[in-house]
Amino acid sequence: MTQTLLIELQATHDYLRTIDRDLNAFPPDLADMDAIRKALAKRLTDATRARVEVEGIRVKLQKELELTQRLEDHARKALKGVTQKVQYAAAMREVDDRERAKNQVAKPLKEAEARISALDADITRTAADLETAKAKFEELHAVFLAEHETQVASRTQLTVKLTQLETQLPAPALAHFHKLLTNRAGKAVAAIENGTCSGCRTRLRGPYITQVREAKQPIPCENCQRWVYMPDVAVQVAAAK
Ligand SMILES: [Zn+2]
């Protein structure tokens, strides 16, 4: 693993980021359609999730209703068998209680069913709207990309180059590189400028800089852990191209 490889890898990432920024700087109509399609996708996900949730509740209530219905039927049957007046009043109360218990379940069950119907309608409508918005977005996006032909071509080239460079790096180093990219604001490799790490602006000690200059292997900054190098190495890279 050489410093030059890392420097080139970082430079390729920087170019790609610039191009991606251009290609994501949508004009207002495209940005609007992008926002609409994302909002619809979110609405669809939320509605689908809500439906699963309400369906769970519905199934539970349905079972409860069946149970309360059985208990009510049982009480009614018992009522029919009663012959004595005293027992009749108690049996009648039992029927009333059972019926009330059943109705207490029936109401939320109906509500759950109504909610499911509403969600189904919303899901169908949103899915259709999303398809339309997607198609419209793709259409506008294709025009936008055609207008940015140069950047699209550069992005393709740079992506190929990135893969080529990455395969030259040992897996652990590549993993570390990506970790640094993520945790260090997209900069894993930084030049030393005027004795200072350009990544974290920390002044580096003289002996440390000498060590970096003489190193065959990449060396992490003492402060931010980015791989640091002397800019004259980068000049050599540019000259070699
Ligand atoms: Zn640093």
Side-chain angles (χ1 to χ4, degrees):
M1 180 170 62
T2 63
Q3 285 189 339
T4 52
L5 177 59
L6 286 173
I7 294 165
E8 214 172 349
L9 195 54
Q10 179 68 56
T12 309
H13 269 285
D14 292 345
Y15 289 145
L16 261 175
R17 196 160 37 232
T18 310
I19 289 170
D20 278 341
R21 203 154 40 217
D22 286 350
L23 290 177
N24 284 313
F26 294 160
D29 57 342
L30 185 56
D32 286 351
M33 201 40 75
D34 189 33
I36 289 170
R37 109 193 138 121
K38 280 176 184 159
L40 284 168
K42 186 180 182 300
R43 189 190 171 110
L44 188 60
T45 309
D46 290 350
T48 308
R49 192 178 302 140
R51 199 205 181 283
V52 171
E53 214 170 279
V54 181
E55 175 61 14
I57 294 168
R58 191 198 66 78
V59 169
K60 196 166 148 264
L61 288 169
Q62 181 67 45
K63 274 186 194 147
E64 273 178 44
L65 184 76
E66 282 159 19
L67 176 68
T68 53
Q69 182 68 63
R70 272 204 300 279
L71 291 171
E72 189 193 326
D73 292 348
H74 191 263
R76 285 189 190 282
K77 213 168 149 195
L79 181 66
K80 275 181 192 157
V82 169
T83 48
Q84 289 181 8
K85 208 176 178 185
V86 184
Q87 286 173 339
Y88 186 82
M92 192 64 212
R93 245 196 327 275
E94 175 77 8
V95 169
D96 284 348
D97 287 349
R98 294 301 182 194
E99 198 180 349
R100 202 173 306 119
K102 183 192 73 181
N103 289 339
Q104 267 170 13
V105 179
K107 192 166 175 271
L109 176 62
K110 240 193 196 93
E111 283 165 3
E113 283 165 353
R115 178 110 180 85
I116 286 172
S117 297
L119 282 168
D120 279 344
D122 190 33
I123 286 167
T124 308
R125 198 172 46 237
T126 308
D129 289 351
L130 179 59
E131 281 314 303
T132 311
K134 264 186 189 164
K136 187 80 192 145
F137 174 83
E138 296 299 337
E139 195 186 316
L140 291 170
H141 197 216
V143 174
F144 174 78
L145 290 180
E147 285 166 357
H148 293 75
E149 208 180 347
T150 322
Q151 284 103 318
V152 173
S154 301
R155 183 169 63 179
T156 309
Q157 283 170 5
L158 285 168
T159 308
V160 171
K161 188 179 172 189
L162 196 64
T163 312
Q164 284 168 352
L165 291 173
E166 287 190 344
T167 50
Q168 294 175 50
L169 213 56
L174 184 60
H176 188 61
F177 180 86
H178 282 292
K179 202 173 142 202
L180 284 170
L181 273 190
T182 309
N183 299 336
R184 294 286 181 268
K187 267 238 173 294
V189 185
I192 296 175
E193 290 161 357
N194 301 321
T196 303
C197 166
S198 65
C200 66
R201 304 281 157 206
T202 297
R203 183 136 201 101
L204 303 169
R205 294 176 295 116
Y208 183 75
I209 292 176
T210 309
Q211 197 192 338
V212 172
R213 186 178 287 285
E214 288 168 359
K216 295 274 186 291
Q217 292 291 309
I219 291 193
C221 165
E222 287 178 306
N223 180 52
C224 69
Q225 312 305 318
R226 288 181 178 94
W227 280 310
V228 287
Y229 65 94
M230 299 306 290
D232 47 13
V233 176
V235 172
Q236 286 163 22
V237 172
K241 268 193 213 165

